[in-house]
Amino acid sequence: MKKFIFAVFIAFWASVGTVAVLQVLTPEPPTGDDPDSPAVFDLGEVAEHDSLDDCWMVIEGKVYDFTDYVGQHPAPPSVLEPWCGKQATEGMRTKGIGRDHSPAAWAMLDDYRIGKLADD
Amino acid sequence: MVIRARLARILVWALALVPVVFFLAGLRPADFDDVPGLLNVLGRLTGVLGLAFLLLSAALSARVPGFDLPFGGLTRLWNTHHLLGASALVLLLLHPLLLAFSAQGYGQGLAFETLFPPLSDLATWGGWLALLLMMTFLAPSFSFFGPPDYERWKRVHDLAPFAVILALAHTFLFSRTMPAHLDIVVWAGFALLAVGAVLWRFVFSRRVGRLPYAVVQVDRPANNVIELTLEPKRRGLRYRAGNFVYMTPFDSELEAGCGEEHPYTLSSSPREPNLRIAIKDLGNASRALQSIQCGSRVTVEGPYGRFFKNPDDVPIPELWISGGIGVTPFLARMRHLDRLDQGGDIRFIYCVQDEARALYLEELRALAGTIPGFGLIPHYFYRQGPLSAAFLREHCGDIEQREVYICGPQPLNRLAQSHLRALGVDRWSIHTEEFELL
């Protein structure tokens, strides 16, 4: 058993090391606004979609339609409902006790993006 | 007894499945839609099961006297503790990796961000710290960097409560392993067990569990073995023949081991007013103890172990096999049977290199002469070679009918067990006492 545990221990650090090395070696993807989502909404338009059946949110200046995602969210829909039709960056950044959503959750946002918030 | 011990172990492992059941009940079909989703489920599952194993392992570490009996003795209880700890480490090493691999499925670089988020992500970093502490305090247990020194192993193992607390904080901050508030209820229940065990170990056992004794006599049955006679300063320990205790000496003139606890088998009969403990020079602490002063203070915690099924009589014929200082529990039982005037059909094969190295041989011969039905059979390695199946059969024709008790060095233990199995002895009839806990 000792040999097996030691092998798992080594494999763990080898995997963590591989993830770290790949991160260093992979070039940064280009950043900037996606030209494919030109739609611009103001907060008034977003506020019209404030129910679980029609749920839009603004997160960090971008507008998302989460209507199809509500049922897939790990926490119950009642957790999402107060944020529908509103600025929801705080909700995204402070899940649970002041804790951010995971990087994977942030990455999933792109699938629901419909535009950006109009500048004041 | 064997079946009860098995049931107790199964119960512990089954208890670990409680949070898993709640976790699985909270999953939805959408969680299995794609590979990253599946990896995420597995990542969370390894976290849940790993934490359950860790907390139960902590709960079993309490060493409350008597609590080890349903498990078949403290050594067996610690075997379960050890296996739970090993399983927890493997699962909790897989846990962050599976979550990182899952995140990578949602975008480039996300595996790295999952493993190494910004420092403000206290939940993740708390988990990392718990895992690093676990690797540190378990490294000596699994001999990662060579065989550990007993006292250093114990000191490093004291990091365990901190790892448990951080792991719990990590889980509570994420609070999404189970539906609704079930996670708080379930983990709080497990945490109570673990915290109760830690409190017993570090607070109550030191104040209530340790009985004060004084060394009133030091005998030397051999040049590297002493037998201490301990007189109780308060109430005396209640125990059965073959039990062992943790003894802590407080003789400041000892070269090593002052204030350190170590396990030793009692060599006295429970009917004696004082305790007797035979100690062989096997390490730094036991070597230093060879020069312990008469009159010095010790504390004794116990009793532990459940070697003999029936320590006070012999309802079923028995075969005893011992070697070296492994003679101690048998000596205790012989002294006890003698005091009780209790006879019984016992064959005792005492394996030593030669007669000069046989511990307590004169006393054993005298006791064998007074206990009706007792047969002492010395086996001398230098003259007769390793213990053989033929030797066992020759001196014990009805070996399959006997309860067999073995206590001695590991090679003798393994050899005796393989002969016994080959001779048709049921494995449930073979009882061993092992002190190599690592």
Side-chain angles (χ1 to χ4, degrees):
Chain A
M1 184 172 76
K2 286 177 182 172
K3 281 182 186 165
F4 172 71
I5 306 276
F6 190 61
V8 175
F9 173 73
I10 296 296
F12 172 80
W13 284 113
S15 306
V16 170
T18 307
V19 169
V21 168
L22 285 177
Q23 179 70 10
V24 172
L25 295 179
T26 310
E28 286 278 321
T31 53
D33 276 352
D34 183 358
D36 292 339
S37 12
V40 176
F41 305 97
D42 61 31
L43 279 174
E45 286 172 280
V46 174
E48 290 169 19
H49 307 271
D50 61 351
S51 69
L52 286 174
D53 298 330
D54 181 14
C55 178
W56 286 18
M57 292 185 204
V58 180
I59 297 169
E60 300 200 330
K62 292 166 188 153
V63 179
Y64 301 89
D65 178 356
F66 289 130
T67 311
D68 293 338
Y69 178 69
V70 168
Q72 296 174 41
H73 190 262
S78 57
V79 176
L80 291 180
E81 196 170 9
W83 301 102
C84 291
K86 298 195 185 76
Q87 287 267 18
T89 307
E90 190 196 338
M92 194 66 188
R93 285 285 179 207
T94 62
K95 182 188 82 166
I97 309 164
R99 204 175 54 75
D100 200 349
H101 273 77
S102 66
W106 280 96
M108 286 166 74
L109 288 183
D110 276 349
D111 294 344
Y112 302 93
R113 186 170 163 194
I114 54 172
K116 63 176 186 176
L117 192 65
D119 297 328
D120 289 334
Chain B
M1 185 167 86
V2 176
I3 292 169
R4 197 163 73 143
R6 242 186 165 188
L7 273 176
R9 286 198 290 273
I10 290 171
L11 184 72
V12 170
W13 290 96
L15 200 57
L17 294 180
V18 171
V20 173
V21 169
F22 286 123
F23 168 76
L24 294 176
L27 293 177
R28 295 147 312 157
D31 290 322
F32 303 95
D33 273 355
D34 49 14
V35 175
L38 187 64
L39 286 174
N40 182 275
V41 168
L42 288 175
R44 286 190 284 149
L45 178 63
T46 48
V48 170
L49 194 56
L51 181 64
F53 284 161
L54 177 68
L55 293 173
L56 286 173
S57 183
L60 291 191
S61 70
R63 219 177 71 196
V64 181
F67 187 67
D68 59 325
L69 293 183
F71 290 86
L74 191 63
T75 332
R76 288 197 173 80
L77 174 67
W78 269 344
N79 239 332
T80 307
H81 162 80
H82 195 69
L83 270 179
L84 282 167
S87 311
L89 180 64
V90 169
L91 289 169
L92 294 176
L93 286 172
L94 283 172
H95 165 66
L97 290 179
L98 287 166
L99 290 177
F101 295 156
S102 156
Q104 189 69 15
Y106 296 108
Q108 196 178 315
L110 292 181
F112 183 82
E113 279 186 49
T114 302
L115 287 178
F116 306 105
L119 285 175
S120 57
D121 186 344
L122 294 180
T124 302
W125 287 112
W128 256 116
L129 198 53
L131 192 54
L132 290 172
L133 279 174
M134 248 187 113
M135 290 181 213
T136 309
F137 81 75
L138 287 179
S141 305
F142 300 111
S143 311
F144 277 9
F145 309 107
D149 162 80
Y150 181 78
E151 272 310 309
R152 198 175 333 139
W153 165 73
K154 279 196 77 172
R155 275 197 298 276
V156 174
H157 218 67
D158 284 349
L159 289 172
F162 301 104
V164 167
I165 290 165
L166 282 166
L168 279 169
H170 170 79
T171 299
F172 280 125
L173 285 171
F174 274 104
S175 64
R176 52 182 287 190
T177 48
M178 287 169 233
H181 295 297
L182 259 178
D183 54 351
I184 294 177
V185 175
V186 171
W187 290 128
F190 275 71
L192 268 179
L193 282 178
V195 169
V198 169
L199 281 178
W200 170 266
R201 266 316 278 112
F202 291 96
V203 183
F204 298 116
S205 82
R206 293 190 182 181
R207 288 165 192 271
V208 185
R210 295 183 182 183
L211 300 173
Y213 275 82
V215 179
V216 290
Q217 193 177 324
V218 182
D219 294 310
R220 294 192 179 279
N223 62 2
N224 58 351
V225 179
I226 53 163
E227 186 171 54
L228 304 179
T229 303
L230 308 176
E231 187 182 75
K233 291 284 125 194
R234 221 165 57 204
R235 69 180 170 88
L237 180 81
R238 292 169 62 88
Y239 64 100
R240 306 193 79 180
N243 281 160
F244 69 95
V245 295
Y246 274 78
M247 188 188 80
T248 312
F250 294 95
D251 178 351
S252 55
E253 288 182 25
L254 286 178
E255 273 182 32
C258 177
E260 289 177 5
E261 57 168 17
H262 289 265
Y264 300 105
T265 302
L266 295 166
S267 56
S268 47
S269 157
R271 287 290 180 98
E272 294 175 37
N274 292 333
L275 292 184
R276 285 196 272 178
I277 298 179
I279 300 167
K280 188 176 181 184
D281 164 5
L282 288 170
N284 289 341
S286 53
R287 187 167 309 128
L289 271 180
Q290 305 292 313
S291 58
I292 193 167
Q293 308 277 329
C294 245
S296 64
R297 196 169 64 85
V298 300
T299 59
V300 168
E301 187 182 353
Y304 302 107
R306 187 183 194 157
F307 188 30
F308 297 111
K309 274 173 90 169
N310 303 289
D312 303 332
D313 54 4
V314 192
I316 304 168
E318 297 180 15
L319 166 65
W320 301 354
I321 302 172
S322 98
I325 195 67
V327 69
T328 322
F330 300 115
L331 176 64
R333 179 98 184 277
M334 286 176 83
R335 285 171 170 172
H336 189 48
L337 292 174
D338 183 47
R339 286 212 166 220
L340 296 174
D341 284 328
Q342 182 76 49
D345 184 356
I346 296 173
R347 294 285 166 277
F348 180 14
I349 297 180
Y350 183 26
C351 303
V352 283
Q353 286 149 321
D354 55 34
E355 192 163 340
R357 288 179 175 81
L359 300 169
Y360 295 100
L361 192 57
E362 272 180 37
E363 185 178 350
L364 294 176
R365 279 185 173 140
L367 286 167
T370 57
I371 300 171
F374 197 100
L376 176 68
I377 306 138
H379 177 279
Y380 300 119
F381 178 83
Y382 287 160
R383 207 163 65 207
Q384 294 162 295
L387 183 68
S388 66
F391 185 91
L392 290 173
R393 174 63 80 194
E394 181 192 339
H395 292 278
C396 217
D398 57 350
I399 199 163
E400 306 93 329
Q401 317 298 326
R402 291 175 182 261
E403 291 290 325
V404 186
Y405 297 92
I406 311 170
C407 185
Q410 276 293 341
L412 174 68
N413 194 332
R414 277 197 293 270
L415 181 69
Q417 286 199 53
S418 73
H419 288 333
L420 291 165
R421 299 290 290 132
L423 289 169
V425 178
D426 192 278
R427 73 187 175 108
W428 303 117
S429 299
I430 303 174
H431 313 275
T432 62
E433 188 72 300
E434 293 158 44
F435 289 97
E436 290 185 28
L437 297 171
L438 296 181

